Amino acid sequence: MLGWSSALLRAALILTIVLLANPAAAGLGCLKMERPLKQAITIPASVGEELRLSFRHSIYGSQVEEQFRITEEGLETTELRYSEARLVEFYGYEGARFEAGWWIVEGKHQIIPFLDLRVSPESLLQIFLGSEPIFLSPMVDPGGLVRLTVIPCERTIDGRRADN
């Protein structure tokens, strides 16, 4: 755990406690966050649970949210949300519905084995697994990369998650 900021450790601890207290998160899988040259972080997650990315668009500066469902094979795209209609066109979608301040595009329900996320302080990139946000900027150098992968959780004989 060398090199981890106290804020990052606190966020990881809170998120782990929240997820382990949730019976639905009783351990069908884990979300692994890998950072080049740094220790990976593994967070308990359930198959079927929603993962949401929230970030500021690098060109337009407006808010984007991407929603995924955790599967045994990876992350399934479920919904894309844009705060501006021009982002729907920018990403090449032909149409979107407007609802509660968002332009919403249904995901193609394709399975993505991993996500590589480029992190900058300006993007305010965060992930939500449950209701707790995880800010990625403190975890990597500006412009750094984080890879999110769904992996099986390691378990002890009594069923508790074994830390990696």
Side-chain angles (χ1 to χ4, degrees), residues 115-142:
L115 286 174
D116 283 335
L117 306 171
R118 185 72 54 195
V119 181
S120 70
E122 301 81 29
S123 69
L124 303 176
L125 180 60
Q126 55 189 318
I127 64 172
F128 291 83
L129 189 60
S131 61
E132 293 294 319
I134 302 171
F135 290 91
L136 298 182
S137 291
M139 295 183 191
V140 295
D141 295 328

Side-chain angles (χ1 to χ4, degrees), residues 8 28 31 37 41 43 67 80 85 119 130:
L8 175 59
L28 297 176
L31 184 67
L37 306 176
I41 299 170
I43 301 169
Q67 296 179 355
L80 306 166
V119 181

Side-chain angles (χ1 to χ4, degrees), residues 26-110:
L28 297 176
C30 280
L31 184 67
K32 183 176 182 180
M33 292 191 292
E34 296 176 274
R35 304 159 300 153
L37 306 176
K38 296 184 181 184
Q39 183 176 358
I41 299 170
T42 305
I43 301 169
S46 295
V47 171
E49 191 170 1
E50 181 183 278
L51 171 76
R52 182 170 44 100
L53 299 178
S54 178
F55 58 93
R56 185 172 302 178
H57 192 271
S58 62
I59 296 172
Y60 295 115
S62 53
Q63 201 62 27
V64 175
E65 290 187 355
E66 298 179 356
Q67 296 179 355
F68 303 88
R69 182 175 299 110
I70 295 174
T71 72
E72 291 178 3
E73 296 80 32
L75 298 165
E76 177 185 11
T77 58
T78 59
E79 190 172 83
L80 306 166
R81 300 163 76 74
Y82 306 109
S83 62
E84 292 186 84
R86 65 182 171 174
L87 288 172
V88 174
E89 291 179 24
F90 177 83
Y91 284 108
Y93 296 104
E94 298 203 13
R97 72 180 190 276
F98 187 73
E99 185 178 298
W102 290 96
W103 293 94
I104 300 171
V105 175
E106 293 300 318
K108 295 180 180 178
H109 296 281
Q110 67 188 98

